[in-house]
Amino acid sequence: ENSGIFLIAEFERTTQISMQGQGQGQGASKTSVLNCIDLSNPDLHQSVSLLKQACLDSGFFYVVNHGISEEFMDEVFAQSKRMFEQPLSEKMKLLRNEKQRGYTPILDELLDPENQLKGDYKEGYYIGVEVAEGDPEAEKPFYGPNVWPEPELLPGWRETMENYHREALEVARAIARIIALALDLKVDFFDQPEMLGKPIAILRLLHYEGGISDPSKGIFGAGAHSDYGLITLLATDGIPGLQICKDRDAKPQIWEDVPPVKGAFIVNLGDMLERWSNCVFKSTLHRVLVNGQERYSMAYFMEPSHDCLVECLPTCKSENNPPKFPPILCQTYLSQRYNDTHTDRSVYKKPQT
């Protein structure tokens, strides 16, 4: 109950902030009111009900009391900032590899080619599941060694990120269990070895420079897109910018601000879960507009294992509602989506050694 009161007060505060600095050709936007799932709530039935409503409505919700301390979150953000404050020459030495690990420069990602003049005005850093080079598992597209900065350059950076990766994975697993119940599946459905037993879990640190987005000119912090996988956990530094569009086919599209809430994850469903649920649950279009303030966020993408066959769930099909998509392997689907949105790595010149 207390957390609910806290959430409302925080929501009102951040809503006021989020409405400042709007304009610049962005069109009118309203504030989205999202359900809040309290992971410490002993009433699981209530959590399932709130989550199911959110998944049917917008595919976005807040998660509070998730077990990751505020002090540790502050430390992860501080370490992320240290990385992005490095000179570009240092960051380019850590340029993302073919396994999507490492640094992604500004404009590297183009999420909405129809409406974007250039790529996203953000830089990022991908960290996946650490698998040693010689391990047979490292042959898989999204497994392998991470790209790490030298310890002398950023002391404690790797350890902080590895710890956060582990902790976020446990939060994602807990959310996946509630999603399973909301889909009328067994609570441990997604815990099966071929699903989240060896997940493709990717942490992406993000930094938006303090420019001004202007959709009328095709300038976005992050272009409109839906996420590729199962679920995404987003942590923000309190600076607004995230917007969602519940109906992508509406003309014109209506965009709603999602206010950041201190200590909460903003969680959204990905396209893979929409596909898995035969479009019962929604993967919603979202984007980031920046209003002159520098902004940091961290997205944690939780996907099933490489060899997981994503096919219509038994509880989401019937004679009147047959499967809408053919089965596809998780690794095939994700590889295709990443290649579609990222710049070919060959355009970057190798740094001089």
Side-chain angles (χ1 to χ4, degrees):
E1 200 168 311
N2 289 340
S3 70
I5 294 166
F6 152 77
L7 188 70
I8 291 163
E10 185 67 18
F11 181 83
E12 286 171 351
R13 185 187 72 79
T14 50
T15 299
Q16 288 164 3
I17 297 170
S18 77
M19 300 315 287
Q20 295 166 10
Q22 295 297 321
Q24 298 295 330
Q26 295 171 19
S29 61
K30 60 179 185 174
T31 299
S32 194
V33 178
L34 302 179
N35 281 355
C36 178
I37 315 299
D38 183 343
L39 287 188
S40 68
N41 185 358
D43 186 349
L44 187 59
H45 178 74
Q46 185 188 39
S47 295
V48 171
S49 176
L50 282 168
L51 182 139
K52 187 170 187 174
Q53 185 189 12
C55 293
L56 294 169
D57 175 42
S58 66
F60 271 78
F61 50 91
Y62 296 109
V63 166
V64 295
N65 295 324
H66 42 69
I68 303 180
S69 77
E70 223 165 279
E71 294 74 24
F72 182 54
M73 292 297 288
D74 289 345
E75 172 59 20
V76 183
F77 271 109
Q79 290 283 17
S80 173
K81 193 173 180 184
R82 283 181 197 122
M83 157 61 68
F84 291 120
E85 284 174 345
Q86 296 299 312
L88 183 61
S89 57
E90 286 295 332
K91 290 184 286 193
M92 289 304 284
K93 291 176 188 173
L94 304 165
L95 184 67
R96 66 178 168 88
N97 59 22
E98 68 285 348
K99 298 283 185 122
Q100 303 295 347
R101 306 293 178 89
Y103 177 67
T104 56
I106 287 170
L107 306 181
D108 178 81
E109 194 172 15
L110 182 64
L111 291 167
D112 185 12
E114 282 184 31
N115 294 303
Q116 282 181 270
L117 188 64
K118 295 179 179 176
D120 291 355
Y121 282 85
K122 70 177 192 295
E123 54 183 343
Y125 203 96
Y126 282 113
I127 301 164
V129 176
E130 182 75 23
V131 178
E133 194 71 66
D135 192 312
E137 290 282 294
E139 299 300 311
K140 294 179 175 177
F142 294 95
Y143 278 174
N146 281 299
V147 175
W148 297 111
E150 293 297 331
E152 304 78 46
L153 186 70
L154 293 168
W157 198 86
R158 174 175 178 171
E159 292 74 13
T160 300
M161 295 307 162
E162 287 186 323
N163 286 338
Y164 181 70
H165 199 289
R166 275 192 296 271
E167 291 203 27
L169 179 57
E170 290 314 304
V171 178
R173 285 186 197 279
I175 296 166
R177 291 180 193 117
I178 303 175
I179 289 173
L181 293 173
L183 286 165
D184 298 318
L185 301 164
K186 288 183 178 175
V187 68
D188 60 353
F189 177 82
F190 292 111
D191 288 325
Q192 294 177 73
E194 68 275 17
M195 292 189 186
L196 299 181
K198 288 185 175 176
I200 300 169
I202 300 166
L203 168 61
R204 194 174 189 199
L205 311 173
L206 294 164
H207 173 227
Y208 299 85
E209 292 189 332
I212 301 276
S213 297
D214 188 344
S216 68
K217 294 180 180 169
I219 298 169
F220 297 86
H225 66 287
S226 52
D227 290 348
Y228 315 147
L230 191 63
I231 54 173
T232 304
L233 276 59
L234 181 72
T236 75
D237 62 355
I239 302 296
L242 177 65
Q243 294 187 328
I244 63 173
C245 173
K246 291 179 183 175
D247 182 0
R248 66 175 69 207
D249 299 320
K251 298 274 191 277
Q253 290 177 335
I254 296 167
W255 289 91
E256 302 178 14
D257 292 307
V258 177
V261 172
K262 184 98 175 126
F265 281 116
I266 299 166
V267 180
N268 65 281
L269 311 183
D271 297 339
M272 195 181 292
L273 186 55
E274 179 173 283
R275 185 182 180 119
W276 225 334
S277 70
N278 212 22
C279 298
V280 172
F281 281 1
K282 289 177 70 170
S283 172
T284 294
L285 213 55
H286 52 285
R287 68 186 187 184
V288 174
L289 301 185
V290 285
N291 62 7
Q293 292 174 287
E294 199 175 14
R295 182 177 183 269
Y296 290 88
S297 65
M298 302 184 297
Y300 188 84
F301 302 103
M302 169 75 139
E303 335 288 17
S305 62
H306 283 81
D307 302 319
C308 178
L309 188 67
V310 179
E311 58 183 333
C312 183
L313 295 167
T315 55
C316 297
K317 60 184 176 183
S318 64
E319 273 187 41
N320 298 330
N321 187 24
K324 295 176 175 64
F325 307 97
I328 190 169
L329 279 179
C330 178
Q331 62 181 342
T332 308
Y333 181 73
L334 287 178
S335 296
Q336 192 178 304
R337 294 296 300 272
Y338 273 91
N339 291 339
D340 286 347
T341 54
H342 285 76
T343 300
D344 190 316
R345 289 168 58 252
S346 63
V347 305
Y348 299 113
K349 289 180 182 171
K350 292 212 166 170
Q352 300 300 309
T353 50

